[in-house]
């Protein structure tokens, strides 16, 4: 996903769900009584959710929000589009095996919306989040466990014509796709790392795109393979994805809208207090 302008024009679902996350789960966050909180936003993308929602809804006493992303193109767009004294954008791959020193024990809260399904090594990502938190810090994230496009990629990647462009398709499918015990499996990862008060919830949600063109735009904008396909074949490739959407009943005859069911994994967890951590170590 390296086209911030296209992304910015179609990201209605991620915005809707970021607002839902804020409305339904923000009251769990342990804001510092005297303010000065530092907040890390992972996978900030074009920066719209960081600026328009996160910055808007955190308490006014928050000191700084640091939006991070693995894509330099996204960061450049975010930096050019959103400036505020309480906002910074930085480059970070949350799946890195060596978290840069400056992130260790720095943040009071970590937030992330619609990013972590891109990360196959969930343990590494949540270890990095843990390491970036101060004692008593907390994390609130939402990302896709299931999404119709994951199965569609699976099917299309087996077709001879498209196989060469989609050999690594699994990298772009949530690690929880087709997992029947996502909540418990994810909880185990977090408990093993050392998180406390772990809550993992898979919520079934739907989004209705008003017409076929809107769904086609989404299919195109979030597709990681399309750039590898020669331009002359791209329309045919997207047609194939649309046909598969129809076969799977997402696009119904005689109705304009396209109904997309999906599962959102919502995770809230805390790092222990300094006293608890010291006692555990002793
Ligand atoms: C769908 S966008 C979500 C953007 C924003 N959070 C929102 O809610 O609109 C996902 C973002 O995650 C970023 N991303 C993917 N893998 C990442 C990683 N390993 N570390 C940091 N960011 C990553 C992508 O570059 C992309 O900008």
């Amino acid at each position: 996903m390296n086209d911030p302008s296209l992304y910015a024009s179609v990201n209605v679902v991620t915005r809707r769900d970021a607002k839902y996350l804020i409305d339904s789960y923000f009251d769990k966050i342990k804001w510092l009584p005297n303010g000065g909180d530092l907040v890390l936003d992972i996978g900030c993308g074009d920066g719209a959710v960081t600026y328009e929602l996160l910055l808007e809804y955190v308490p006014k006493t928050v000191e700084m929000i640091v939006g991070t992303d693995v894509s330099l193109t996204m960061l450049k767009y975010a930096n050019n589009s959103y400036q505020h004294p309480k906002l910074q954008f930085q480059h970070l791959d949350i799946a890195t095996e060596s978290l840069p020193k400056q992130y260790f024990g720095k943040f009071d809260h970590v937030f992330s919306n619609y990013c972590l399904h891109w990360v196959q090594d969930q343990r590494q990502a949540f270890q990095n989040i843990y390491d970036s938190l101060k004692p008593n810090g907390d994390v609130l994230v939402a990302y896709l466990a299931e999404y119709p496009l994951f199965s569609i990629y699976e099917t299309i990647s087996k077709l001879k014509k498209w196989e060469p462009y989609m050999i690594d398709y699994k990298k772009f499918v949530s690690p929880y796709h087709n997992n029947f015990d996502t909540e418990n499996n994810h909880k185990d990862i977090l408990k093993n790392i050392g998180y406390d008060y772990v809550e993992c919830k898979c919520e079934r949600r739907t989004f209705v795109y008003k017409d076929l063109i809107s769904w086609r735009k989404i299919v195109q904008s979030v597709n990681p393979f399309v750039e590898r396909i020669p331009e002359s074949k791209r329309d045919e490739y997207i047609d194939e994805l649309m046909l598969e959407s129809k076969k799977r009943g997402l696009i119904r005859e005689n109705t304009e809208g396209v109904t997309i069911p999906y599962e959102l994994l919502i995770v809230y967890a805390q790092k222990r207090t300094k006293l608890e951590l010291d006692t555990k170590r002793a």
Side-chain angles (χ1 to χ4, degrees):
M1 191 183 297
N2 272 319
D3 186 339
S5 314
L6 186 59
Y7 179 72
S9 70
V10 295
N11 68 350
V12 271
V13 189
T14 61
R15 277 177 200 239
R16 181 193 73 161
D17 286 348
K19 181 66 170 47
Y20 171 72
L21 192 64
I22 288 168
D23 290 344
S24 312
Y25 291 87
F26 245 35
D27 60 353
K28 291 187 181 296
I29 296 179
K30 297 190 301 168
W31 304 107
L32 299 179
N34 299 323
D37 313 55
L38 298 182
V39 181
L40 175 66
D41 180 18
I42 294 166
C44 62
D46 63 345
V49 163
T50 323
Y51 178 78
E52 288 168 15
L53 294 172
L54 201 51
L55 185 60
E56 173 74 19
Y57 287 97
V58 295
K60 298 295 164 235
T61 49
V62 159
E63 188 177 314
M64 183 65 69
I65 299 178
V66 181
T68 57
D69 203 284
V70 72
S71 159
L72 291 172
T73 320
M74 283 292 190
L75 285 171
K76 191 170 169 204
Y77 184 95
N79 253 320
N80 289 340
S81 310
Y82 303 107
Q83 275 148 20
H84 190 278
K86 287 189 177 183
L87 200 55
Q88 279 178 21
F89 291 105
Q90 295 175 3
H91 183 245
L92 175 69
D93 175 2
I94 197 60
T96 179
E97 284 175 17
S98 48
L99 185 71
K101 269 201 185 111
Q102 72 267 26
Y103 288 94
F104 272 84
K106 166 139 191 210
F107 294 94
D108 300 289
H109 318 285
V110 173
F111 176 88
S112 180
N113 189 51
Y114 270 79
C115 165
L116 293 167
H117 50 268
W118 297 89
V119 176
Q120 295 304 315
D121 192 344
Q122 292 283 301
R123 198 183 191 291
Q124 183 70 65
F126 279 88
Q127 181 69 57
N128 287 340
I129 292 172
Y130 186 87
D131 291 341
S132 73
L133 283 170
K134 290 180 192 164
N136 219 21
D138 52 10
V139 51
L140 176 64
V141 300
Y143 57 111
L144 292 168
E146 280 295 356
Y147 189 60
L149 277 177
F150 298 154
S151 311
I152 293 176
Y153 290 162
E154 220 164 22
T155 306
I156 303 291
S157 70
K158 292 189 183 109
L159 301 179
K160 259 211 157 63
K161 192 165 193 180
W162 308 116
E163 190 190 4
Y165 309 109
M166 300 181 76
I167 260 164
D168 57 347
Y169 83 90
K170 282 193 178 151
K171 274 195 347 207
F172 302 97
V173 165
S174 170
Y176 289 117
H177 172 53
N178 285 340
N179 181 318
F180 297 103
D181 203 7
T182 298
E183 292 171 353
N184 285 323
N185 290 169
H186 195 67
K187 214 178 243 183
D188 287 347
I189 294 178
L190 267 69
K191 292 236 162 193
N192 282 335
I193 292 171
Y195 284 97
D196 225 354
Y197 300 106
V198 180
E199 288 177 37
C200 299
K201 205 166 157 211
C202 256
E203 295 198 14
R204 282 173 199 275
R205 294 175 64 74
T206 49
F207 191 83
V208 180
Y209 291 94
K210 63 179 187 325
D211 51 35
L212 281 181
I213 294 171
S214 309
W215 175 238
R216 193 179 174 97
K217 264 191 180 176
I218 290 289
V219 166
Q220 203 158 352
S221 72
V222 301
N223 190 295
F225 316 106
V226 79
E227 281 172 8
R228 304 169 178 178
I229 295 173
E231 255 189 271
S232 59
K233 290 192 196 167
R234 284 184 190 170
D235 279 348
E236 193 189 341
Y237 173 70
I238 300 295
D239 286 347
E240 193 95 58
L241 295 170
M242 294 296 283
L243 187 67
E244 195 54 40
S245 307
K246 193 163 188 180
K247 280 191 200 159
R248 287 167 184 272
L250 305 175
I251 302 168
R252 296 209 194 100
E253 297 292 348
N254 307 322
T255 51
E256 269 289 276
V258 180
T259 306
I260 303 299
Y262 59 97
E263 271 183 28
L264 200 61
L265 174 59
I266 297 175
V267 180
Y268 174 79
Q270 293 172 8
K271 191 165 177 167
R272 286 167 208 262
T273 60
K274 190 169 178 325
L275 183 66
E276 285 167 336
L277 290 169
D278 289 346
T279 315
K280 207 171 167 230
R281 254 179 238 129

